[in-house]
Amino acid sequence: MSARPVAGHLNVGPAASTADLLRASVALDSRGLSALARSLGFVVAPRPPGDPEPESGEASSPPPAAATQAVASQEAGNLAPVPFWRLERVEHLEVETEPAQPAAPPFGELELGQRSFAIPRAPLPIVAWSRLWPHLQAAFHTEKEGRALDTARLIEVWCRGEAPRRLPRRKAAGWSGRVTLLLDRSHRLVPVWRDQDELYSRLCRTLGAGALQVLESRATEPGLWRRGAGKPRRRLPAFAPGEAVLACSDLGSYAGAAERQRWRWLGEALRAQAVRVRALVPSPAGRLASNQVRPWQPIDWEAPGRPPVSPGRPEGRDEFPERSERLLRLLSWALRVEPGLLRQVRHLLPASQADLGTEIDTWGQPQLRGASSIARYLEPGSAGPWRESFGSAPPPLRAAIVAALKRWHGVQAPEIWFLEVLGLAAAGLLPEGLEGEVLRARRFLHRLASTVLAPDVGTGKAHAASLAWLAWAAARIPPELWQDPELGPELTRAWALAAARDPSQGLPAGMPLRWLAAGGPPRAWLLWQKGKEVHVRSGTPERPAGSPLGSLTAGSAEIGLATGPNTRAARLVLEDAQRGSLLPTGPELLLLSDRQELTFRRFERPEWARAAGRDRYGLWVEIEVKGVRHRLRWIPPGRFWMGSPETEQGRWEGEGPRHRVTLTAGYWLGETPCTQALWQAVMGKNPSHFKGPERPVESVSWQDCQTFLERLERLVPGLEPRLPTEAEWEHACRAGTETGTYTGDLEISEGEAALLEPIAWYSANSGAETHPVGEKEANPWGLRDTLGNVWEWCADPWGRYTPGPVTDPLDPELGSDRVIRGGSGGGDEWLVRAAARYWYSPGSRGDAVGFRLARGQGRPHPLGPPPFGSAQGMLPARPLRPSGRGGGRRGPAGDTEPPP
């Protein structure tokens, strides 16, 4: 975001940058800033004619809301050291046919990039607190004076004729002094981490936070102790004699000899200080050695009343590995193993076959991959033999294990559950009653593949997450699905797109090579400017820093770079492991792929613009008319689907057929609809019904807009303003999306759509009037109020869409009525969609119709006023509803009031 200079227009000198002067302008007046500029090597340029001398301390007007995150800007008189690049033209080297529309309905599960597994379900407790607490009390039991009076002693004193100096109290059991809790957070104890947290919470509520001190030994800091957010220390703090220390640890019983020895020395050192120490261990009888028991007097967490060491049972027992292997065999169909799922399956076995130690042993098995404390994964290759023996388990046990998988994954990680249920079904091990889950799983995979393969698919978080998940899931999809003639071909092509991100991936088992040879669709590479560099990268899960320029479609990773149409192109190989960066030096840059040719040109602030810059949405410029500023944004050229699919809620037949539109040139479009302040500055009057300088102008006809544009051109020479074409309007409104709105598809219920609340003013939230522009969230290209608030005039005459792809559509001979787009604040929710369209005669006015400025590259000037009258036979399939502002709408012919 730039600040307006205080001391005239400065040309850059050799000693410093304009940023130094910008910082100095905050504290200096005009005269002081001029002197500082000369001392740094700057020269004060003569002020252009007509630009008044600012008063001392004058500041620039605040920018619109969308400019608050600007990266760089050029204002009149300022020089920007960083060049701005702009995508101006796109030439598609091949014509793609329209793909088949996905047959499966959308699923809520298809949100792989929008959910988090960081908060898993709470596991079953190791033991009920009511059973554990008495043993903890007994471990640190002491007698101290309570609150109740000791009446027997008081009577005895009175009988001796003595006067008691203080009232005697009865003795009560309790924990004396401060209690220190030593938490062992080793990775081997991950299955009991949530239980340790619950133990800490219980002790805090029982003893009080002031009486409890917690020292933590983290997995990443072995041998060190940390109190809260303090620095880790090797030694424990000094304890007073009689203090209580409770260690929540296995005392090294699941680790090596060195760890066991460290815990034994620690226990002996604390006892040497007369500290009362006990240990709560997740180690059942037979796990602990006798020399470990001696200093710590451990309490068995799972069975607090059981002796810590079983007589006659050695420390190492042969059945320990067998128990963990049995539990892992039962979990062989689980693609994702959480500590809670591990415990729930363990509880399905008798205590003689699996205990808490078996649970910890299983978590540490090398067949489980991943170092996360949330979940680990079982490799498909190692799980194969165990899955074959899973069928030998009793049917009731198998059904209980599948029910546990559904409980843990069916809601929180449905994409994992879908793979599990498909694998069980392919192996013939699925219990009865889950056939519907198999159908859901197949439809999910079909929807996922269709979404990934959709033309011009977005490259946001959801798309990147879908590709990453598909690459991971390929080895876990049953081979039968790859060979399924209904699902296999598109699933294979989707996998090819995901595997292109990682060439080291092998072919999944069962994938037919003939389907893989068909190949996937071209890949989309994002183009961003950060500083002086232009970055080329594949779809990224997060929005990169900098300013977006557009996207490049390429079927091959090798592209060419040229500085002009007749220059020799240099080669550049796009690699996923590296983020390609270009440093253009000339005024023009051409990127050539096997599918597209993109032309970039260095952008300089045009003479008709008061300011220019780039931010996280892209390039912008500002015009100024009599002190009123208005911002326009650069809309890059591209290809999109115009109209709505037949399944879109709120659709009517005038929005189809859905067809492919290519816009070869970029154009400028107003960030907001034209405001009343700008109209007043140009026209000298305000015709709007709902007054307010920052509200959109309304009650203007299409012909009024032509008069406005002519006068604006005289006031801002070189601007060449016009109305956008209908295709330009929808391309800009969608901003690369394909849903009903740029944030998703509408779900209309009782006249309201929650999706519209943050992005649009419509009948449910506007109060049947217009609102100041820019108050709602912007679309991905920085445009605001494209949906709702007011309908917007377009340059096109009204007409039905024609099937088939079109390029730069505009047919002035089609009819006389003019198109309006976007819906209004008084309109119903089904009209506030990117594809919703209507028409109006060019001489009609209404308090719900305004317009948005455009300025194009290589576009014709605004069309002249057409003859009056309405075209016949081009009417909606159903009448629109009244606006709710007093006046209904007329029938299907000859409207005199705009739609709501």
Side-chain angles (χ1 to χ4, degrees):
M1 187 169 59
S2 66
R4 193 173 180 180
V6 177
H9 303 268
L10 302 173
N11 295 327
V12 178
S17 69
T18 53
D20 300 315
L21 291 179
L22 182 62
R23 286 189 292 268
S25 66
V26 178
L28 299 178
D29 57 12
S30 176
R31 181 175 302 177
L33 184 60
S34 299
L36 176 62
R38 292 187 181 92
S39 65
L40 293 176
F42 289 84
V43 177
V44 179
R47 184 169 301 276
D51 192 358
E53 179 71 20
E55 297 179 3
S56 177
E58 178 187 358
S60 62
S61 59
T68 56
Q69 301 187 26
V71 177
S73 65
Q74 299 175 345
E75 196 149 346
N78 284 2
L79 297 179
V82 178
F84 296 163
W85 289 94
R86 183 174 72 180
L87 175 59
E88 295 195 352
R89 296 195 66 83
V90 174
E91 181 179 352
H92 298 270
L93 302 183
E94 70 175 23
V95 178
E96 300 177 6
T97 59
E98 179 178 357
Q101 297 297 321
F107 276 88
E109 297 94 339
L110 196 60
E111 298 177 359
L112 303 179
Q114 302 179 20
R115 289 184 290 105
S116 173
F117 304 137
I119 307 178
R121 288 176 177 269
L124 299 172
I126 296 177
V127 66
W129 178 253
S130 58
R131 288 185 55 196
L132 179 62
W133 175 239
H135 295 277
L136 295 179
Q137 279 185 308
F140 297 100
H141 175 77
T142 184
E143 288 189 351
K144 59 182 180 180
E145 191 175 74
R147 294 183 178 181
L149 288 174
D150 191 344
T151 56
R153 290 178 55 194
L154 184 60
I155 293 175
E156 180 181 352
V157 171
W158 283 344
C159 290
R160 291 198 301 265
E162 299 176 359
R165 295 183 178 180
R166 57 187 301 271
L167 296 178
R169 306 284 181 176
R170 293 182 181 179
K171 297 292 183 180
W175 289 23
S176 60
R178 185 179 62 176
V179 176
T180 299
L181 179 64
L182 303 181
L183 286 182
D184 185 356
R185 306 289 279 193
S186 304
H187 275 308
R188 63 182 181 273
L189 298 181
V190 165
V192 299
W193 277 12
R194 292 289 293 271
D195 303 279
Q196 291 177 344
D197 296 339
E198 181 63 20
L199 173 68
Y200 167 72
S201 299
R202 292 277 188 175
L203 291 178
C204 278
R205 291 195 295 267
T206 304
L207 304 177
L212 183 65
Q213 176 184 228
V214 178
L215 299 177
E216 184 178 337
S217 177
R218 300 182 180 179
T220 56
E221 302 167 347
L224 302 180
W225 295 95
R226 181 188 293 268
R227 181 189 287 112
K231 295 183 178 180
R233 302 184 182 278
R234 188 166 298 277
R235 293 185 178 182
L236 291 175
F239 296 100
E243 280 196 49
V245 174
L246 176 64
C248 188
S249 169
D250 65 335
L251 305 180
S253 59
Y254 298 101
E259 184 69 8
R260 291 194 294 269
Q261 181 72 3
R262 187 174 72 87
W263 279 99
R264 186 171 65 84
W265 285 346
L266 178 60
E268 292 174 350
L270 291 175
R271 282 194 171 275
Q273 301 178 30
V275 177
R276 305 165 63 202
V277 297
R278 297 298 297 269
L280 183 64
V281 295
S283 305
R287 293 272 181 169
L288 294 173
S290 57
N291 59 350
Q292 288 178 279
V293 173
R294 193 176 304 112
W296 285 101
Q297 301 182 30
I299 302 171
D300 190 338
W301 200 337
E302 191 170 24
R306 185 169 54 189
V309 177
S310 299
R313 308 185 77 172
E315 178 185 353
R317 295 171 53 187
D318 296 337
E319 59 266 30
F320 289 164
E322 296 179 2
R323 288 185 172 191
S324 62
E325 186 174 340
R326 181 188 302 116
L327 185 55
L328 202 56
R329 187 181 302 115
L330 296 178
L331 285 165
S332 58
W333 285 100
L335 299 182
R336 172 185 165 96
V337 179
E338 296 90 346
L341 174 63
L342 181 63
R343 181 167 302 171
Q344 185 169 355
V345 174
R346 193 257 297 182
H347 275 286
L348 298 176
L349 298 175
S352 59
Q353 298 182 10
D355 54 20
L356 185 56
T358 307
E359 185 179 317
I360 298 176
D361 286 337
T362 305
W363 182 262
Q365 288 291 330
Q367 292 85 353
L368 288 176
R369 302 298 179 87
S372 172
S373 62
I374 299 173
R376 302 189 72 186
Y377 295 91
L378 190 63
E379 288 296 327
S382 59
W386 292 340
R387 289 179 175 179
E388 295 177 359
S389 61
F390 179 81
S392 60
L397 179 59
R398 293 205 309 263
I401 292 174
V402 174
L405 293 178
K406 184 178 180 182
R407 176 179 179 268
W408 277 88
H409 298 156
V411 176
Q412 188 182 16
E415 63 277 6
I416 300 293
W417 162 246
F418 288 153
L419 293 181
E420 293 168 346
V421 74
L422 287 173
L424 289 167
L429 300 175
L430 191 67
E432 296 181 359
L434 293 178
E435 293 78 8
E437 295 297 313
V438 178
L439 179 60
R440 289 183 64 219
R442 289 178 60 89
R443 294 168 71 185
F444 167 77
L445 288 180
H446 173 65
R447 177 67 177 174
L448 176 65
S450 301
T451 303
V452 169
L453 292 172
D456 294 338
V457 69
T459 52
K461 290 185 178 180
H463 179 242
S466 299
L467 288 177
W469 181 86
L470 191 56
W472 174 86
R476 295 160 177 83
I477 294 176
E480 294 80 0
L481 283 183
W482 295 109
Q483 303 174 14
D484 189 326
E486 295 182 358
L487 187 59
E490 66 175 358
L491 196 60
T492 301
R493 291 194 295 271
W495 175 85
L497 186 62
R501 302 159 65 93
D502 184 9
S504 63
Q505 282 197 7
L507 290 175
M511 175 185 290
L513 293 179
R514 65 182 185 276
W515 290 343
L516 181 61
R523 298 177 61 186
W525 296 81
L526 298 179
L527 302 171
W528 290 77
Q529 181 175 358
K530 185 176 180 181
K532 297 182 179 181
E533 295 182 341
V534 174
H535 292 259
V536 185
R537 65 184 70 190
S538 183
T540 177
E542 296 182 359
R543 191 185 189 107
S547 182
L549 297 178
S551 63
L552 171 69
T553 300
S556 171
E558 184 173 314
I559 65 172
L561 285 80
T563 56
N566 299 321
T567 58
R568 186 175 180 179
R571 295 174 56 198
L572 174 67
V573 178
L574 303 175
E575 297 179 357
D576 290 328
Q578 299 177 356
R579 297 179 176 179
S581 62
L582 315 174
L583 188 60
T585 57
E588 189 173 79
L589 173 67
L590 269 66
L591 294 183
L592 313 174
S593 76
D594 57 346
R595 302 301 178 96
Q596 286 182 333
E597 290 185 6
L598 274 59
T599 302
F600 292 85
R601 290 192 177 91
R602 191 185 292 252
F603 171 73
E604 300 290 344
R605 182 183 59 82
E607 294 182 0
W608 49 264
R610 182 65 180 84
R614 60 180 177 90
D615 56 19
R616 66 188 183 99
Y617 298 114
L619 280 174
W620 55 264
V621 294
E622 282 184 354
I623 62 173
E624 183 173 1
V625 180
K626 299 178 182 179
V628 178
R629 287 195 175 191
H630 190 71
R631 175 164 292 190
L632 296 92
R633 289 196 169 272
W634 179 252
I635 307 301
R639 179 178 286 177
F640 72 105
W641 287 98
M642 189 170 182
S644 59
E646 295 180 358
T647 57
E648 185 169 306
Q649 192 171 2
R651 180 186 190 269
W652 67 284
E653 63 181 7
E655 299 172 13
R658 190 168 181 242
H659 57 290
R660 195 66 169 272
V661 174
T662 300
L663 299 178
T664 59
Y667 53 98
W668 294 103
L669 191 64
E671 179 177 292
T672 66
C674 177
T675 62
Q676 298 176 28
L678 182 60
W679 183 280
Q680 178 83 31
V682 174
M683 303 293 288
K685 59 181 179 179
N686 184 3
S688 302
H689 176 74
F690 303 104
K691 302 294 185 182
E694 294 303 317
R695 297 194 185 200
V697 67
E698 24 87 2
S699 302
V700 293
S701 68
W702 190 90
Q703 294 172 332
D704 294 336
C705 295
Q706 307 309 311
T707 305
F708 171 86
L709 296 172
E710 293 176 3
R711 295 187 182 181
L712 180 60
E713 169 65 16
R714 292 196 293 267
L715 292 172
V716 186
L719 177 60
E720 298 181 0
R722 61 177 178 86
L723 293 178
T725 68
E726 187 179 15
E728 288 175 339
W729 187 96
E730 186 167 336
H731 174 57
C733 177
R734 291 188 177 278
T737 64
E738 294 186 6
T739 49
T741 72
Y742 49 82
T743 58
D745 285 314
L746 293 184
E747 294 182 3
I748 302 172
S749 176
E750 298 180 358
E752 294 185 3
L755 192 68
L756 294 178
E757 182 62 33
I759 65 173
W761 295 109
Y762 70 112
S763 58
N765 65 0
S766 68
E769 65 180 62
T770 62
H771 288 260
V773 299
E775 293 185 344
K776 294 295 185 178
E777 295 177 1
N779 75 357
W781 289 348
L783 300 179
R784 298 172 183 269
D785 295 303
T786 53
L787 298 178
N789 218 353
V790 289
W791 288 90
E792 297 176 17
W793 287 108
C794 294
D796 303 56
W798 168 265
R800 296 289 189 180
Y801 291 154
T802 57
V806 294
T807 299
D808 298 331
L810 177 62
D811 188 358
E813 304 299 328
L814 187 60
S816 59
D817 288 344
R818 298 293 156 174
V819 177
I820 53 176
R821 299 296 298 263
S824 68
D828 294 336
E829 63 287 339
W830 64 273
L831 292 169
V832 188
R833 293 176 296 111
R837 59 194 299 254
Y838 205 71
W839 76 96
Y840 223 59
S841 60
S844 302
R845 301 179 181 88
D847 59 3
V849 180
F851 70 100
R852 189 181 297 255
L853 283 178
R855 202 264 181 190
Q857 295 287 110
R859 290 290 184 181
H861 242 284
L863 302 176
F868 287 93
S870 300
Q872 301 298 320
M874 299 180 179
L875 306 175
R878 57 181 177 181
L880 301 182
R881 297 168 220 175
S883 66
R885 291 201 289 264
R889 312 226 351 264
R890 66 164 176 80
D895 274 334
T896 57
E897 182 183 341

